Amino acid sequence: MGKTYHDIETHSWEEVRRRHEDKLPGQLAYLGENSDFYQRKFSEWDVDVESVSTIEEFQEIPFTTKDDQRRNQADPPEEQPLGTHQAVPTEELSRTISSSGTTGKPTYFGLTKSDRRSWNEVMKRSFYCAGIDPDDTVIFGSGQTMITGGTPYFEALTELGANVVPAGGESTERLLSVMTDLPGDALITTTSHHRYLTERIPELGFELDELSITKLVGGGGPGIGNPEIRSELYEQWGANLVREGMGMGDVIGCMWSECEFEDGMHYHGQGHAHVELIDTETGENVPFEVGSKGELVYTPLEREATPLLRFKSGDYARVTGVNCQCGRTSPKIRCIGRADDMVIYKGMNVFPSAIRDVVSGVEGAMGHTKVIVPTEDKVHFEAPIPIEAVLDPETDRDEAAVEDDIVDAVRTQLKVRVRPQLVDFSEIELSEYKTEQVIVRK
């Protein structure tokens, strides 16, 4: 059994749910008193917050969506620059950050001093679980300080006790210079930036396994959970651990991360945010059981600045475990895609990231795949789904054979037919800081 940062991580999940059930009425009362947005919504929904005392009753409350947030911030009152769900005066805000804006106009989130303490507590649990020790030197590779994975991350890492080197935001050459001048134990950045550096640094004449980095922690989208990608990072960097984490600024910056078994991310928001798994189509709750799939929904339990209620994250996950030898008792998940990226093939839900993961295991193909959607509103497919896959420049296999194997592998593993087109690696731009697109709408 491994070490945990806080003993609540070993409490039974049912005990955690009971604790959340005790806290939910207080948060609902706070929303009813301080959030103009939820005051209006409770009236529209005919919800009497004083009558909600159980999780089952709580689950009858409608969801809040990203579009609700954007509408809130489209033309906000002067005294509420973060929107009508801003529940404290602006002078009480301690930090304002934003989303990356990769799925639409950026949204902004506020944190009070109390909110920051909650975030730091949860993120310290997450980073500790992911293998970051208080005596580590952490090379922090993200350069976007305003986003969730920027300033909040290196604040929490610093509170954990780590020596944080905020080296992101400049060229690969500059980052490499920092990693050689200031030898670090861990590199934390987005998954695709890890992969970008894996491709780019050897081009500069350096061998990755000659660097002092032995721990790679990534986030920002699905990727490290793919065995091919994880193995590539282990091999190229000579790493001792390769783990992923996940969170969101709407709720808590990082609240999921992998332990030493690297078979799914544990939840670390116990006592600070309630998490649900729902069927995206029906909205019904799905139990956290091994093999269950659904969209993650969150409710902060003590957020003051910009609190949300039953917020649909858009992250579609599969439960990989409910008990772990590491001693943690929270569910473990693998994020397998974005609910809004889902396409439908002959009535079956398909995630582009799942297609990418299958293609990456085909000999002669690399793990950079895009699903090509011919029109913006195209969701349903009866004919094979068009994809672009990257031909491995070192393969001696015939392109037609690689394409045939891609078709067979996707059909066998996902029960879906695709129409692959192989392209050269130079035709696929791999973003430095954000997970590469896996769906392209024409």
Side-chain angles (χ1 to χ4, degrees):
M1 183 178 293
K3 297 184 297 182
T4 58
Y5 189 80
H6 193 288
D7 62 4
I8 197 173
E9 298 172 74
T10 63
H11 293 185
S12 74
W13 190 241
E14 191 53 43
E15 181 182 344
V16 170
R17 280 173 53 87
R18 287 196 299 270
R19 178 179 294 210
H20 291 183
E21 189 172 63
D22 290 341
K23 284 193 166 192
L24 282 168
Q27 185 68 8
L28 288 171
Y30 179 83
L31 294 175
E33 293 171 7
N34 298 282
S35 171
D36 293 343
F37 172 73
Y38 282 109
Q39 287 172 6
R40 177 168 53 83
K41 282 297 185 181
F42 290 152
S43 178
E44 290 177 8
W45 295 336
D46 193 24
V47 170
D48 177 10
V49 294
E50 293 184 359
S51 69
V52 178
S53 60
T54 67
I55 284 181
E56 289 72 25
E57 292 167 343
F58 169 75
Q59 291 171 350
E60 296 299 315
I61 298 175
F63 300 108
T64 304
T65 67
K66 197 72 174 180
D67 285 342
D68 290 325
Q69 266 194 311
R70 292 197 176 101
R71 283 191 290 268
N72 269 337
Q73 296 184 354
D75 186 22
E78 183 177 349
E79 68 277 10
Q80 293 173 300
L82 303 184
T84 57
H85 64 302
Q86 179 180 329
V88 297
T90 301
E91 58 266 27
E92 291 185 20
L93 296 177
S94 179
R95 173 172 290 143
T96 299
I97 56 176
S98 79
S99 67
S100 63
T102 55
T103 59
K105 188 180 186 300
T107 50
Y108 298 94
F109 327 112
L111 299 173
T112 64
K113 290 180 180 179
S114 176
D115 293 336
R116 285 172 64 185
R117 284 194 293 270
S118 292
W119 273 42
N120 287 334
E121 171 61 29
V122 174
M123 290 195 289
K124 284 186 288 186
R125 298 175 193 172
S126 299
F127 293 135
Y128 189 74
C129 177
I132 304 300
D133 294 321
D135 57 355
D136 280 343
T137 290
V138 176
I139 306 298
F140 191 78
S142 174
Q144 301 180 61
T145 56
M146 190 175 181
I147 65 170
T148 307
T151 307
Y153 270 39
F154 61 73
E155 178 180 53
L157 287 162
T158 301
E159 285 209 2
L160 179 64
N163 171 30
V164 184
V165 183
E170 300 191 50
S171 66
T172 301
E173 290 84 349
R174 171 61 176 157
L175 179 58
L176 176 60
S177 175
V178 171
M179 286 194 287
T180 54
D181 293 341
L182 302 172
D185 303 288
L187 173 63
I188 294 183
T189 187
T190 63
T191 299
S192 67
H193 194 204
H194 278 302
R195 298 178 67 196
Y196 176 87
L197 294 173
T198 302
E199 300 279 353
R200 183 78 180 93
I201 288 178
E203 296 174 2
L204 301 176
F206 286 82
E207 295 298 326
L208 292 167
D209 58 6
E210 293 179 358
L211 297 172
S212 62
I213 300 294
T214 59
K215 301 177 181 182
L216 301 177
V217 179
I224 285 178
N226 179 322
E228 297 287 334
I229 294 173
R230 195 190 298 270
S231 295
E232 173 190 282
L233 294 174
Y234 262 116
E235 180 179 350
Q236 296 294 322
W237 288 80
N240 295 332
L241 65 84
V242 179
R243 298 180 191 168
E244 65 178 347
M246 185 178 78
M248 58 193 321
D250 317 75
V251 188
I252 296 173
C254 186
M255 48 191 162
W256 299 88
S257 69
E258 291 184 299
C259 67
E260 59 266 35
F261 294 98
E262 296 182 355
D263 58 354
M265 295 179 286
H266 284 280
Y267 185 63
H268 300 287
Q270 299 98 322
H272 296 274
H274 182 65
V275 62
E276 303 172 69
L277 192 68
I278 66 162
D279 183 299
T280 300
E281 300 295 323
T282 66
E284 295 296 318
N285 270 76
V286 177
F288 280 102
E289 297 174 350
V290 175
S292 295
K293 298 178 183 179
E295 183 177 354
L296 295 166
V297 171
Y298 301 98
T299 300
L301 295 170
E302 48 194 16
R303 184 78 168 262
E304 293 180 340
T306 48
L308 296 170
L309 178 65
R310 300 201 78 202
F311 181 71
K312 295 183 70 177
S313 68
D315 289 323
Y316 197 86
R318 180 182 70 252
V319 180
T320 63
V322 290
N323 288 301
C324 185
Q325 290 174 273
C326 77
R328 293 176 179 86
T329 53
S330 62
K332 291 192 291 188
I333 58 130
R334 184 76 69 212
C335 185
I336 58 177
R338 292 285 302 170
D340 50 8
D341 274 351
M342 184 176 68
V343 296
I344 300 172
Y345 177 77
K346 295 187 175 180
M348 292 188 300
N349 296 341
V350 184
F351 288 91
S353 55
I355 295 176
R356 178 202 60 195
D357 289 351
V358 172
V359 172
S360 70
V362 172
E363 182 184 356
M366 299 181 67
H368 311 296
T369 304
K370 297 182 186 297
V371 170
I372 308 301
V373 180
T375 60
E376 180 65 31
D377 59 352
K378 177 73 171 177
V379 175
H380 295 267
F381 288 85
E382 294 295 325
I385 299 172
I387 67 171
E388 287 183 354
V390 176
L391 183 69
D392 187 340
E394 297 183 1
T395 188
D396 57 2
R397 298 194 70 204
D398 179 72
E399 288 191 23
V402 175
E403 290 179 347
D404 287 345
D405 283 355
I406 289 173
V407 171
D408 290 343
V410 175
R411 184 177 64 239
T412 299
Q413 297 184 45
L414 301 180
K415 313 303 180 187
V416 168
R417 288 187 177 273
V418 295
R419 188 177 74 249
Q421 176 186 357
L422 289 173
V423 299
D424 187 80
F425 182 76
S426 63
E427 297 179 45
I428 300 290
E429 180 179 354
L430 185 60
S431 166
E432 288 195 42
Y433 293 111
K434 196 68 178 175
T435 302
E436 66 268 27
Q437 280 183 294
V438 290
I439 185 166
V440 177
R441 300 186 187 276
K442 298 295 187 181

